[in-house]
Amino acid sequence: MNGFGIIKGMIETARNFVGSYHDAQRLTTVQYPEQKLPPVENARTIPFLVFDGDDAMAGLRCTACVICEKECPPQCIYIVKDQVKKPDYVGKMQMQPKVFDIDISVCMSCGICVEVCPFDAIKMDQVFELSTGDRFGKLLLDKHQLAKPNDYFVKIHKTEASEIDVRREEDKRKAEAAAAAKAAAPKSPATPGAAK
Amino acid sequence: MSGLDQIFVWIGHRAAGWFPASVQPLVSAVLAIAGVMAVFGTCFALTTLAERKVLGRMQNRFGPNRVGPYGLLQPLADAVKMLTKEDIVPFSADKTLHFLAPLVLTVPVWLAFAVLPFGRNMSAINLDAGILFFFAVGSASELAVFMAGWSSQNKYSLVGAMRAIAQMISYEVPLVLSVVPVLMLAGSLELNDIVAAQGTYTFGGLARWNVFTPWGLAGLILFLIAATAESNRSPFDLPEGESEIIAGFLTEYSGFKYALFFLGEYLGLFAVTGLAVTLFLGGWHAPFQWLEWVPSWFWFAAKFGALIFLFIWVRATLPRLRLDQLLNFSWRFLVPLSLINLLVAAAWYWTGAWKFPVVAPIRWLLCAALIALPYHWLGRALRGAMPPPRKYIYAE
């Protein structure tokens, strides 16, 4: 009969009204500042710079190759190369950034910088409480603010980070083996320079 | 009667007594105005909060719960926000009309409260033609809405205003017609007389409210539907339909003027709700004779609150109508049905003289059938009158 659909609908809303007071299943709202959902592993917000060891600036993986700066679609990355080189994880001398700034008000969180980085130096972070009253000062992050330890990276992106760690261990072992072989080399006349 | 029942009347008399006799009528009038404005102003604040809370719960959300304990101070925060917002007047707007529209909406709505009896001896003025006065001032809101829409010089405002006019004129007819049976049976246009006519008890203490008669029940439902449309509430909120025309006639309003429109709309809702309580739900009378000791103003407030909850409930349940559905529903369904309701009231009046055993249920069922059958047929005809579902040629 006419009008019964309305009554049916009103019973449904009444059931919600009463049910939301005693049935926790219905109220799915997460009360944000007090309650927080655990972050999803694939979540990404802005980039950060990974460093190894304890000293952030000494262990920074970035080699100032500026590929990310060139690839960044909104051009939010600004890099100045340093004149002084420093050894990387396999002991090879590499460039390092003197300035590495990211304007996170410009960053669009695309992750292209992460995809193009050949050194696993820049990765996506999961921080999201970045609002600030200082629009120009607090939203331009320098390399000290961007640098975060590898442990943090392992914590937020476990799968990806452990894969990279295994690969880097492998590289390190190879490099050490090569160095050991090189150290043993002068006794054998293998190299052309030594033959002369 | 108990002292609590007449406490507000007593306070008013005592306060007026402090003044010289020549200004006492003026003072008591000012006191009545202040009382009504204070009570219904607070009611407005509380209803905005209650509406958001109840809507939230009906949609399995919390609703506002940040400002103060359980979000109770939310209306205060809203008020601060509204008052501190910039008052923008469009460059090409008709400045005078744009300024006047919120006032024209709000001021007459306050006048409508003058004739409502909120309790025993508690109506501000006893007008002979109280109902007539109520509908006369109530119909000023159409003018205000059209002023707002026209003066804004904005296409959305104008579309919203046109919709509002079409809707309000269409629904004014069933709103007034559904009231007529009450006037016929009570034989008076004065609201206090109508309340008094519902003040007797029958069947071992059950009140003789109009809603317990077939024509009263049908009249109340018709009245509430028409009142929902008159106060632009969901499911009849086409004039403001956010998803279609931004905010309708409110598009170019901000700050305090916007708040005034909100106030006017809610007060209009309160006024018609108060009228529904007075006409159909026995006004300030208790539902049972043994509950007569409870103060009369409490009963008015309880019925008023229940109806406001019903309005919120309906808003949480029903989606918005389309304009053709809206107008068809009024002219092809509500208007004929409220005319038939007049006949039912007449039948009820004439069968009142019947004298034989078990007359009451037979009389009730007979009159109920007189309104239920047209309801069924008109509903089927209305469904037939609707255009068939639209066929999309390219989308499927």
Side-chain angles (χ1 to χ4, degrees), chain A residues 2 10 13 16 20 31 34, chain B residues 57-58 66 317 375 383:
Chain A
N2 299 313
M10 289 184 71
T13 39
N16 281 347
S20 65
Q31 305 248 23
E34 293 92 34
Chain B
R57 285 290 172 172
M58 284 183 173
R66 292 285 138 181
T317 307
Y375 168 79
R383 208 173 286 170

Side-chain angles (χ1 to χ4, degrees), chain B residues 9 36 40 111-127 130-131 134 189-198 270-271 273-279 281-285 296-301 303-304:
Chain B
V9 181
V36 167
F40 283 94
L111 292 178
F113 287 95
V115 291
L116 290 179
F118 304 111
R120 188 176 279 116
N121 305 327
M122 274 172 70
S123 57
I125 42 173
N126 290 338
L127 277 185
I131 295 254
F134 185 94
L189 282 168
E190 193 182 342
L191 287 162
N192 283 308
D193 290 353
I194 293 167
V195 174
Q198 303 177 67
F270 294 161
T273 308
L275 192 67
V277 169
T278 308
L279 294 179
L281 296 176
W284 40 262
H285 284 297
S296 56
W297 41 266
F298 171 79
W299 287 119
F300 185 89
K303 293 168 193 174
F304 180 83

Side-chain angles (χ1 to χ4, degrees), chain A residues 1-4 6 9-17 19-21 26-34, chain B residues 53-54 57-62 65-66 309-310 313-314 316-318 372 375-380 383:
Chain A
M1 199 168 149
N2 299 313
F4 272 60
I6 293 176
M10 289 184 71
I11 290 170
E12 188 59 41
T13 39
R15 200 177 285 150
N16 281 347
F17 181 70
S20 65
Y21 279 100
R26 287 178 178 272
L27 275 175
T28 51
T29 311
V30 179
Q31 305 248 23
Y32 161 60
E34 293 92 34
Chain B
K53 285 293 243 189
V54 173
R57 285 290 172 172
M58 284 183 173
Q59 296 161 355
N60 289 330
R61 299 183 282 110
F62 280 103
N65 63 352
R66 292 285 138 181
F309 183 82
L310 181 72
W313 189 3
V314 167
T317 307
L318 299 178
Y375 168 79
H376 186 60
W377 291 327
L378 281 169
R380 289 180 68 174
R383 208 173 286 170

Side-chain angles (χ1 to χ4, degrees), chain B residues 227-263:
Chain B
T228 317
E230 273 297 297
S231 48
N232 290 339
R233 282 183 64 85
S234 182
F236 303 109
D237 57 346
L238 283 97
E240 291 158 42
E242 296 90 353
S243 49
E244 300 156 18
I245 47 172
I246 306 180
F249 57 90
L250 296 172
T251 305
E252 296 291 358
Y253 280 93
S254 61
F256 191 57
K257 286 179 190 161
Y258 185 81
L260 270 183
F261 268 109
F262 241 75
L263 178 73

